Structure formats: structure tokens, C-alpha cells
Amino acid sequence: SLLLFIGLLGWGATVFYVGPPLKLAHHGLGEVVVGLSFGPLVLIGAFVVQARTVSSGAVLLSLAMGLLIAAILWINEFPDVKADLSVGKRTGMSRLGPVRSLRVYEGMLVGAFACVGAAVAVGAVSGAMMATTSVGGPPVLLYMLSGNAPPKINRANFVTYYFLTQFLLIVI
């Protein structure tokens, strides 16, 4: 069943996040694993338990949540690069470097908004609700994207937590 599959994936993510032989977080996959675990695995699992089905809206909104959670981890890796590398942990950010990593972070935020927009398009979320709760989102996103240099971590964290809060308001 789908719930058993989700449970097994969650178990595998927990065990192999830092555990041998895979050590996913040490090979640049930690953000993906956490994003999938706290986004699609949890949200689709909860949806299936309650609705006894899977919907495109649930998948889209779970992907948005996963992208925002992965973005929080991703942006907080910038100051940890030296410490991570000193213990052999090669995160996605340390593999790509600061400039490309910033683009990945921006892509996560844009992707989350795109998923929510797609959820509106398929009728999973009211467009009026989305507009009311996230009216400040696009200006904040444009502000963040306007600089050429990597943003300060505090500003980037603010933006990510803002989007996560707006997302939670939409789905609750």
C-alpha cells in the first residue's frame, strides 16, 4: 500500500541520512532527503490517511512545503561550509559553491510559489485565499532576487521563514 511505501521511505531517510553505508547528508543529498521527508512524505501520508486518496493539490502543496523546508537547511549551510568539509561532510552547498548555491536557493523559493500557484490552478486552494495570505510574498521575493551578491544569512532566513509562514496560512 502507499502508506507502507511512504513509511519505508521515511524509515530509510531516517536511518541513512547520516548512517552508513549511504550517509546521504555527507554526499550532498541531505537537503533533498529532509525536504522530501518533511514535505511530500509527511503531508501526502497525512492526506492519504484522512482522505483515503491522493490528489494533485496535495502533491503540489506538499512539494511547496518540502522546497521551503529544504531552503531553510540550504541557506543555513553557507556559514557551516568549513566545519562541514573538515569532517568530510560535502553538502550540496559546499559542492556547488556560494554563487550556484544561491541560485539553487532562489529556485527553491520560486518553485514553492509555482507549486502553490499550480495548486490554485487545479482548484486545491482558493485563489482569493492565496492572494489574501501571500500578498507580500512577491515583493519580498523580488527584493531578495534584486541583489547580485549572496544575501546575508539573516535576510535570507527572514525571506524563507516569511514564505513558510505564508504557505502555512494558505494550507491551514
Side-chain angles (χ1 to χ4, degrees):
S1 98
L2 180 58
L3 285 177
L4 179 60
F5 179 70
I6 289 171
L8 288 173
L9 283 177
W11 175 84
T14 301
V15 171
F16 297 118
Y17 179 74
V18 291
L22 300 180
K23 295 185 178 182
L24 297 168
H26 287 74
H27 299 291
L29 297 172
E31 305 82 9
V32 173
V33 169
V34 172
L36 289 173
S37 295
F38 287 92
L41 290 181
V42 169
L43 296 178
I44 292 172
F47 188 86
V48 168
V49 165
Q50 296 174 50
R52 306 248 186 239
T53 188
V54 178
S55 74
S56 58
V59 171
L60 289 165
L61 292 173
S62 74
L63 288 172
M65 183 72 158
L67 284 167
L68 290 172
I69 288 171
I72 290 169
L73 292 177
W74 190 269
I75 201 63
N76 280 291
E77 288 175 0
F78 278 73
D80 297 336
V81 172
K82 288 181 184 174
D84 287 342
L85 290 174
S86 73
V87 295
K89 186 175 180 184
R90 295 201 26 135
T91 63
M93 188 269 155
S94 68
R95 289 171 180 271
L96 294 176
V99 174
R100 288 191 294 172
S101 291
L102 177 60
R103 299 297 166 240
V104 170
Y105 171 72
E106 292 167 346
M108 289 178 189
L109 298 181
V110 170
F113 259 98
C115 287
V116 173
V120 170
V122 299
V125 176
S126 156
M129 177 188 289
M130 183 179 141
T132 302
T133 58
S134 62
V135 69
V140 170
L141 182 61
L142 289 174
Y143 166 73
M144 192 212 77
L145 294 175
S146 67
N148 292 326
K152 293 182 179 177
I153 299 303
N154 289 340
R155 184 176 83 173
N157 271 330
F158 165 77
V159 170
T160 308
Y161 286 117
Y162 175 83
F163 287 151
L164 185 57
T165 303
Q166 294 305 305
F167 172 78
L168 291 173
L169 288 172
I170 290 169
V171 297
I172 292 176

